[in-house]
């Protein structure tokens, strides 16, 4: 497994792989791996001949009062996990490589980033789409694999790739959960023992919503009423948002008549957790 820090070197490596007629799969990450990350890598291993990943905690997607400095990092552990699933190359740049002095170019996807996390984390998606556009130009993948856990991120990246005619396929993978239902996240390490039960209110409320939907309920306000009541019944849990949106536009809906997603962001004390459920899909909890 190669570790590459320099953009030029990564571009040259990818160019040689492409010139040999091979397909590159790419999984962008911020590191501190869990099974969610590894599931994307396993998919990448299947899809392409060369599996590239990146580990980069991207400063431009964090707000000033967010956890950029504190974000968990463990490169040695990540390296051995990546190796165990057959990663060929890790792109692991430093900030000064990605954002040198005088850097001033950003990619801004408009409508689909306005609602949900776009409201509570201003500038977040601009940072995400910018770093992904840069990473796509550096790694030159045929396939880029993302998790549906970050549902709005996936929609925004797909939009960017379409709108900017980027020559790659974006693939969305199912949410990987702990046995108790908690969606895996690098931020779960922040959770204290006494906060775990409150953290589980997200996935359990998704199940309540699914059961209502499966029972024929289509009124978004009724479903959201039950979801919010359930989450608010937990100590430590503060809802940032709980919304039902059209999966194409990510605008709120009043009734579930097209493909819709229930998207949640909840702060469990200081830890902000997200989760979601697309109505009509499977939910393994
Ligand atoms: P991150 O390192 O948190 O930026 O995540 C890197 C990639 O892993 C993103 O595409 C995430 O959507 C994906 N991911 C994170 N958590 C999960 C999960 N529990 N299940 C599936 N994919 C995930």
């Amino acid at each position: 497994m190669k570790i590459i820090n320099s953009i030029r070197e990564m571009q040259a490596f990818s160019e040689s792989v492409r010139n040999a007629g091979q397909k590159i799969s790419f999984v962008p990450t911020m590191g501190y791996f869990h099974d969610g990350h590894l599931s994307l890598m396993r998919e990448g291993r299947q899809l392409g001949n060369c599996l590239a990943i990146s580990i980069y905690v991207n400063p431009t997607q964090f707000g000033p009062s967010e956890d950029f400095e504190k974000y968990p990092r463990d490169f040695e552990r990540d390296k051995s996990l990546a190796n165990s699933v057959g990663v060929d190359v890790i792109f692991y740049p430093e900030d000064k490589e990605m954002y040198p002095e005088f850097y001033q170019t950003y990619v801004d996807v408009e409508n689909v980033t306005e609602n949900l996390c776009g409201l509570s984390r201003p500038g977040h998606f601009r940072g995400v789409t910018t770093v992904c556009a840069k990473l796509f130009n550096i790694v030159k993948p045929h396939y880029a694999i993302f998790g549906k856990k970050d549902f709005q991120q996936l929609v925004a990246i797909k939009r960017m790739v379409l709108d900017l005619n980027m020559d790659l396929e974006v693939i969305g993978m199912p949410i990987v959960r702990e046995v108790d239902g908690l969606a895996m996240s690098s931020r779960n390490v922040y959770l204290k023992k006494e906060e775990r039960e409150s953290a589980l209110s997200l996935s359990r409320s998704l199940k309540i919503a699914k059961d209502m939907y499966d029972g024929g309920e289509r009124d978004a306000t009724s479903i959201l009423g039950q979801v919010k009541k359930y989450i608010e019944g937990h100590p430590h849990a503060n809802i940032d948002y709980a919304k039902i949106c059209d999966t194409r536009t990510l605008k709120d809906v009043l009734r579930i008549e097209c493909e819709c997603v229930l998207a949640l962001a909840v702060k469990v004390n200081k830890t902000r957790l997200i989760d979601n459920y697309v109505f009509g899909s499977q939910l393994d909890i």
Side-chain angles (χ1 to χ4, degrees):
M1 188 173 66
K2 278 172 91 69
I3 315 287
I4 298 181
N5 308 110
S6 122
I7 291 173
R8 280 271 171 257
E9 198 185 321
M10 186 68 228
Q11 286 172 323
F13 176 82
S14 291
E15 201 52 37
S16 70
V17 173
R18 291 183 82 104
N19 287 341
Q22 303 212 315
K23 300 277 190 211
I24 302 174
S25 302
F26 176 47
V27 180
T29 82
M30 299 204 299
Y32 212 74
F33 294 154
H34 49 67
D35 263 339
H37 294 114
L38 301 184
S39 75
L40 310 187
M41 295 176 207
R42 290 193 187 99
E43 179 68 12
R45 190 63 279 165
Q46 297 293 316
L47 283 169
N49 318 91
C50 173
L51 173 56
I53 67 167
S54 60
I55 299 179
Y56 182 58
V57 185
N58 172 39
T60 63
Q61 71 189 68
F62 286 79
S65 59
E66 294 181 358
D67 58 347
F68 173 67
E69 299 291 346
K70 253 186 56 194
Y71 195 84
R73 294 160 169 92
D74 188 343
F75 185 64
E76 289 308 314
R77 177 174 166 275
D78 286 348
K79 216 162 64 175
S80 75
L81 286 170
N83 201 28
S84 75
V85 292
V87 168
D88 294 305
V89 53
I90 303 181
F91 179 57
Y92 183 53
E94 289 190 3
D95 286 343
K96 61 179 187 306
E97 182 75 359
M98 291 297 275
Y99 299 105
E101 205 183 355
F102 308 121
Y103 188 88
Q104 49 199 285
T105 304
Y106 294 88
V107 179
D108 215 341
V109 173
E110 296 187 345
N111 303 353
V112 295
T113 66
E114 279 168 9
N115 199 2
L116 306 173
C117 287
L119 287 174
S120 27
R121 303 184 71 187
H124 169 68
F125 287 113
R126 178 182 189 251
V128 168
T129 44
T130 298
V131 82
C132 286
K134 287 168 68 66
L135 289 168
F136 293 165
N137 283 330
I138 295 164
V139 177
K140 312 181 194 206
H142 297 83
Y143 309 106
I145 304 140
F146 290 83
K148 290 184 185 167
K149 157 126 183 299
D150 300 270
F151 194 88
Q152 191 173 19
Q153 166 173 287
L154 176 61
V155 172
I157 301 282
K158 282 188 170 167
R159 191 72 254 162
M160 172 184 79
V161 165
L162 265 174
D163 288 352
L164 296 183
N165 314 101
M166 294 177 173
D167 191 13
L168 61 107
E169 191 180 332
V170 176
I171 290 135
M173 294 296 290
I175 300 174
V176 178
R177 299 177 179 282
E178 306 278 0
V179 277
D180 58 10
L182 182 66
M184 287 193 181
S185 163
S186 305
R187 289 190 168 99
N188 290 351
V189 292
Y190 298 149
L191 290 171
K192 302 201 176 73
K193 215 168 150 211
E194 66 274 17
E195 294 169 345
R196 183 85 184 189
E197 198 60 24
S198 298
L200 287 173
S201 67
L202 282 87
S203 57
R204 288 179 180 160
S205 73
L206 296 179
K207 180 73 167 62
I208 293 171
K210 175 188 169 28
D211 289 346
M212 288 177 81
Y213 177 85
D214 291 347
E217 182 61 81
R218 293 294 180 271
D219 182 62
T221 316
S222 317
I223 296 178
L224 290 174
Q226 294 301 312
V227 164
K228 289 180 184 172
K229 196 169 114 195
Y230 182 78
I231 297 172
E232 282 162 357
H234 291 73
H236 319 295
N238 280 303
I239 299 175
D240 174 357
Y241 62 73
K243 292 186 170 199
I244 297 178
C245 300
D246 181 327
T247 55
R248 289 159 307 175
T249 61
L250 297 187
K251 297 283 178 236
D252 299 358
V253 297
L254 290 173
R255 287 189 63 77
I256 306 172
E257 275 156 355
C258 53
E259 189 185 69
C260 290
V261 62
L262 166 56
L264 301 176
V266 176
K267 270 192 123 175
V268 176
N269 285 342
K270 287 185 179 159
T271 308
R272 187 174 181 278
L273 302 174
I274 57 170
D275 204 342
N276 67 79
Y277 171 66
V278 175
F279 290 98
S281 71
Q282 245 184 277
L283 181 61
D284 299 320
I285 50 172

